[in-house]
């Protein structure tokens, strides 16, 4: 099975600063999708951003952007202008192009300091 | 908005009991999933279903079974609950296919404690 690795169990950032969360994955596929999910203390998991592997351009959603390095199998999430509401667990996930199940990393707990 | 609803937020069951966790989605998604979430381990896939009555094992199916008799409902069954099944259980659904918008939508989770 494909594996997804998040090497940072915990991160912290000062409010209004920028933070980068790391994710690497292992796959022999050339086409796939990558996702970052956020799980706040309320527990509801929500999608932050997605990246299609066949797209060279890095995805961006407002203050959230990714650095997708396909050859290195790396998919980091950058949060700019961090807000208190960004505090949550963040999970990186992988899905094969022609398969519907998803694999998740162990998660990174982000703390935002006022 | 897609809604995935899990029947309970908290459950406490005794060792050896048969436990049913229910999940319903309202967006006509083909795929449904059951994950288990433990600290430091992330989300691990137990089972998923890509159609009614169809199921596939995930990474940790031992001790669990599933049922999908209707498209909108996916049940996780612990045949004989054990203390090592104490965990957070997350249900999710997604559209099938290869389009980019096939991310998973999650329920609010069920925290199960087996005593």
């Amino acid at each position: 099975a494909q594996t997804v690795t998040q090497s940072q169990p915990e991160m912290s950032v000062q409010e209004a600063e920028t933070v980068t969360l790391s994710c690497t994955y292992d796959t022999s596929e050339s086409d796939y999708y990558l996702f970052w999910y956020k799980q706040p203390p309320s527990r509801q998991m929500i999608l932050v951003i997605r990246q299609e592997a066949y797209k060279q351009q890095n995805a961006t959603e407002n203050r959230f952007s990714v650095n997708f390095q396909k050859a290195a199998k790396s998919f980091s999430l950058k949060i700019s202008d961090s807000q208190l509401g960004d505090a949550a667990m963040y999970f990186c996930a992988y899905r094969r192009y022609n398969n519907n199940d998803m694999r998740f990393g162990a998660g990174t707990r982000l703390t935002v300091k006022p | 908005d897609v809604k995935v609803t899990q029947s309970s937020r908290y459950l406490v069951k005794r060792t050896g009991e048969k436990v049913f966790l229910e999940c319903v989605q309202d967006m006509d998604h083909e795929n449904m999933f059951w994950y288990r979430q433990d600290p430091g381990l992330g989300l691990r896939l137990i089972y998923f279903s890509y159609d009614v009555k169809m199921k596939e094992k995930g990474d940790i199916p031992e001790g669990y079974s599933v049922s999908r008799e209707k498209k909108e409902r996916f049940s996780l069954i612990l045949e004989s609950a054990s203390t090592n099944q104490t965990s957070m259980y997350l249900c999710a659904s997604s559209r099938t296919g290869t389009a980019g918008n096939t991310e998973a939508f999650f329920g609010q989770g069920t925290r199960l404690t087996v005593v």
Side-chain angles (χ1 to χ4, degrees), chain B residues 46-58:
Chain B
I46 305 172
Y47 269 98
F48 76 98
S49 169
Y50 52 90
D51 201 352
V52 174
K53 298 191 186 295
M54 305 305 289
K55 62 185 179 185
E56 288 206 15
K57 293 180 180 179

Side-chain angles (χ1 to χ4, degrees), chain B residues 14-54:
Chain B
R14 295 192 182 277
T15 300
E17 273 194 80
K18 190 168 186 176
V19 181
F20 293 85
L21 303 184
E22 307 286 348
C23 176
V24 177
Q25 52 95 2
D26 66 358
M27 280 299 291
D28 201 37
H29 284 169
E30 294 84 2
N31 305 309
M32 296 189 74
F33 310 86
W34 276 106
Y35 290 91
R36 172 176 169 158
Q37 182 179 1
D38 299 289
L41 297 177
L43 277 68
R44 293 179 291 167
L45 183 64
I46 305 172
Y47 269 98
F48 76 98
S49 169
Y50 52 90
D51 201 352
V52 174
K53 298 191 186 295
M54 305 305 289

Side-chain angles (χ1 to χ4, degrees), chain A residues 6-113:
Chain A
Q6 294 178 249
S7 59
Q8 306 153 316
E10 295 184 357
M11 292 282 286
S12 67
V13 63
Q14 207 69 36
E15 196 176 4
E17 297 294 310
T18 296
V19 65
T20 299
L21 308 184
S22 302
C23 173
T24 59
Y25 56 94
D26 179 32
T27 184
S28 57
E29 305 288 330
S30 58
D31 290 325
Y32 48 87
Y33 298 101
L34 297 164
F35 306 88
W36 277 99
Y37 279 86
K38 171 184 177 181
Q39 187 183 43
S42 65
R43 299 199 319 225
Q44 189 78 43
M45 191 90 77
I46 55 175
L47 179 70
V48 174
I49 199 166
R50 77 165 70 84
Q51 174 80 41
E52 291 89 342
Y54 59 84
K55 289 187 178 178
Q56 302 228 346
Q57 188 171 6
N58 288 325
T60 300
E61 288 286 343
N62 301 313
R63 297 182 295 107
F64 299 87
S65 60
V66 299
N67 183 6
F68 173 48
Q69 302 288 329
K70 191 172 184 179
K73 298 179 184 175
S74 170
F75 182 60
S76 60
L77 175 69
K78 185 171 84 171
I79 307 174
S80 304
D81 186 25
S82 297
Q83 300 175 0
L84 295 178
D86 294 334
M89 283 290 289
Y90 286 82
F91 291 96
C92 178
Y94 166 98
R95 181 175 86 78
R96 277 171 29 198
Y97 186 71
N98 59 354
N99 195 313
N100 292 308
D101 65 331
M102 294 178 68
R103 295 293 191 269
F104 287 80
T108 297
R109 182 175 300 281
L110 178 67
T111 302
V112 181
K113 299 177 181 177

Side-chain angles (χ1 to χ4, degrees), chain B residues 39-106:
Chain B
L41 297 177
L43 277 68
R44 293 179 291 167
L45 183 64
I46 305 172
Y47 269 98
F48 76 98
S49 169
Y50 52 90
D51 201 352
V52 174
K53 298 191 186 295
M54 305 305 289
K55 62 185 179 185
E56 288 206 15
K57 293 180 180 179
D59 297 325
I60 52 164
E62 296 78 18
Y64 303 94
S65 62
V66 291
S67 172
R68 194 168 181 200
E69 297 297 317
K70 293 185 178 182
K71 191 175 186 179
E72 67 270 19
R73 186 179 297 271
F74 192 37
S75 303
L76 179 69
I77 303 155
L78 287 66
E79 296 289 343
S80 177
S82 64
T83 54
N84 63 11
Q85 293 178 309
T86 291
S87 188
M88 173 76 75
Y89 291 87
L90 293 174
C91 175
S93 71
S94 74
R95 193 176 298 114
T96 198
T98 55
N101 58 344
T102 53
E103 72 269 21
F105 294 85
F106 283 83

